Amino acid sequence: MKFLRQFFKQTNIKQEYNNKISIDEEYPKDWLDIHFKMYPRFNSIKLKKYNDTNLLQKTVLERRSFREFNKKYAIDFDKLSKLFFYTNRIKNKNGNSLNSRRPYPSAGARFPIEQYIVIFNGQDIKQGLYHFNVYDHSLEKIREEDSRLFFKEICNSDWISNCSALIILTCIPLRTCIKYNNRGIRYILFEIGHIAQNIMLIAENLGLHTCAIGGFDDKKIAKYLKCNKTDEYPLYLISLGK
Ligand SMILES: Cc1cc2nc3c(=O)[nH]c(=O)nc-3n(C[C@H](O)[C@H](O)[C@H](O)COP(=O)(O)O)c2cc1C
């Protein structure tokens, strides 16, 4: 679909962000001001505040972005399995994939998001690129390699190479757009946020740290995944480590 190709082309980072500021410059003021909408002339009702927190509330409150990772920390296979098991799996397979559901909502249950993981430093799992097979709950090894320098460069961030792993979320828009046409693109963006939040909260709950990463070179990641000539687009990265 032409609209989809244009959307991804026109929102590539190189045009939007990289040209505006170099990494050593200070951010301009309008990037630092945080705005709050208020209705000062209307009556306001103060809401209650709480000190007690259950595990879910604590996890939500404690999640924050980390950019300092211990290079020596190797992510273990048990944590990885749990991360995928609780964030993205088919809950009611019953022998067929029709009417299946996952731990996040999906417009029309079309499930357009694919998930990959790049292991930088793993226990019981080799460095390299893996695809998460949601149907089988398995990691499919695409290739073994050390890609820390590659990601450091394409994300323009030194700290990336110290993470233990990097999750790459891609989308295959046609799965959703075939049903919802161009409006489907909105649904895909909502949905990737749901999955990413699942990943960040479960990771926090497993004692891992994360950072959401939207700034990267689309073309280079697509090439890395070998999806550059297909209708699959990389959308979001999440770093994992301690
Ligand atoms: C869509 C999105 C894209 C982001 N992209 C980046 C990024 O490219 N690099 C980075 O260091 N942080 C990135 N972040 C993290 C934000 O900077 C961070 O969430 C924000 O400063 C608030 O801090 P907190 O996550 O600790 O609450 C991104 C966050 C979101 C939601």
Side-chain angles (χ1 to χ4, degrees):
M1 281 163 97
K2 203 171 156 209
F3 166 77
L4 288 172
R5 284 202 198 96
Q6 276 172 354
F7 173 83
F8 286 103
K9 204 170 165 197
Q10 285 169 7
T11 53
N12 193 359
I13 185 176
K14 284 211 159 146
Q15 297 165 25
E16 295 294 311
Y17 178 88
N18 272 3
N19 295 341
K20 202 167 168 186
I21 190 168
S22 94
I23 200 134
D24 303 322
E25 276 176 66
E26 269 188 27
Y27 283 174
K29 190 173 172 309
D30 61 358
W31 288 20
L32 294 171
D33 285 344
I34 295 178
H35 302 276
F36 303 90
K37 186 171 179 182
M38 294 186 187
Y39 292 90
R41 286 185 289 119
F42 292 3
N43 285 335
S44 86
I45 309 158
K46 286 266 180 265
L47 293 166
K48 293 186 200 171
K49 294 183 177 169
Y50 302 88
N51 289 322
D52 56 323
T53 44
N54 66 24
L55 184 59
L56 174 63
Q57 294 154 352
K58 189 168 171 286
T59 310
V60 172
L61 290 177
E62 286 184 352
R63 184 226 55 88
R64 68 175 183 85
S65 298
F66 283 83
R67 295 180 188 81
E68 277 177 41
F69 292 94
N70 178 357
K71 201 176 181 168
K72 293 199 181 123
Y73 175 73
I75 193 162
D76 66 78
F77 193 71
D78 190 48
K79 276 198 170 47
L80 274 182
S81 299
K82 279 189 178 143
L83 188 71
F84 286 102
F85 189 74
Y86 292 114
T87 58
N88 187 3
R89 76 179 144 121
I90 296 177
K91 291 193 290 184
N92 55 335
K93 197 152 94 176
N94 297 333
N96 74 61
S97 60
L98 297 175
N99 285 322
S100 65
R101 294 291 182 269
R102 303 186 196 178
Y104 57 87
S106 173
R110 301 299 303 143
F111 301 108
I113 309 299
E114 287 293 325
Q115 200 169 342
Y116 300 81
I117 187 161
V118 187
I119 303 290
F120 290 161
N121 188 3
Q123 263 177 53
D124 323 313
I125 181 158
K126 294 206 163 134
Q127 268 188 336
L129 169 66
Y130 298 78
H131 170 253
F132 172 59
N133 178 329
V134 65
Y135 191 75
D136 206 26
H137 188 59
S138 63
L139 289 179
E140 297 160 329
K141 184 159 68 186
I142 298 179
R143 58 183 183 271
E144 277 180 34
E145 70 183 7
D146 180 355
S147 32
R148 285 176 291 189
L149 287 179
F150 170 76
F151 281 97
K152 179 178 154 180
E153 192 193 302
I154 60 159
C155 300
N156 210 359
S157 305
D158 287 346
W159 56 266
I160 298 268
S161 49
N162 292 335
C163 314
S164 312
L166 204 56
I167 286 183
I168 305 177
L169 299 172
T170 68
C171 68
I172 301 181
L174 275 177
R175 288 185 191 164
T176 299
C177 294
I178 205 140
K179 182 168 182 184
Y180 298 107
N181 216 313
N182 289 355
R183 193 174 178 86
I185 205 83
R186 297 189 192 194
Y187 300 157
I188 292 164
L189 300 178
F190 302 154
E191 189 167 329
I192 206 154
H194 296 307
I195 302 175
Q197 187 76 343
N198 276 0
I199 294 169
M200 290 187 274
L201 293 182
I202 295 291
E204 180 72 39
N205 177 257
L206 293 171
L208 296 169
H209 293 141
T210 59
C211 185
I213 304 166
F216 52 80
D217 186 320
D218 297 9
K219 275 192 182 165
K220 286 190 179 159
I221 297 216
K223 238 179 167 175
Y224 173 85
L225 296 175
K226 302 205 189 314
C227 67
N228 50 320
K229 295 203 173 115
T230 70
D231 286 324
E232 178 176 359
Y233 301 87
L235 269 184
Y236 212 4
L237 308 186
I238 299 170
S239 60
L240 288 173
K242 233 176 189 170

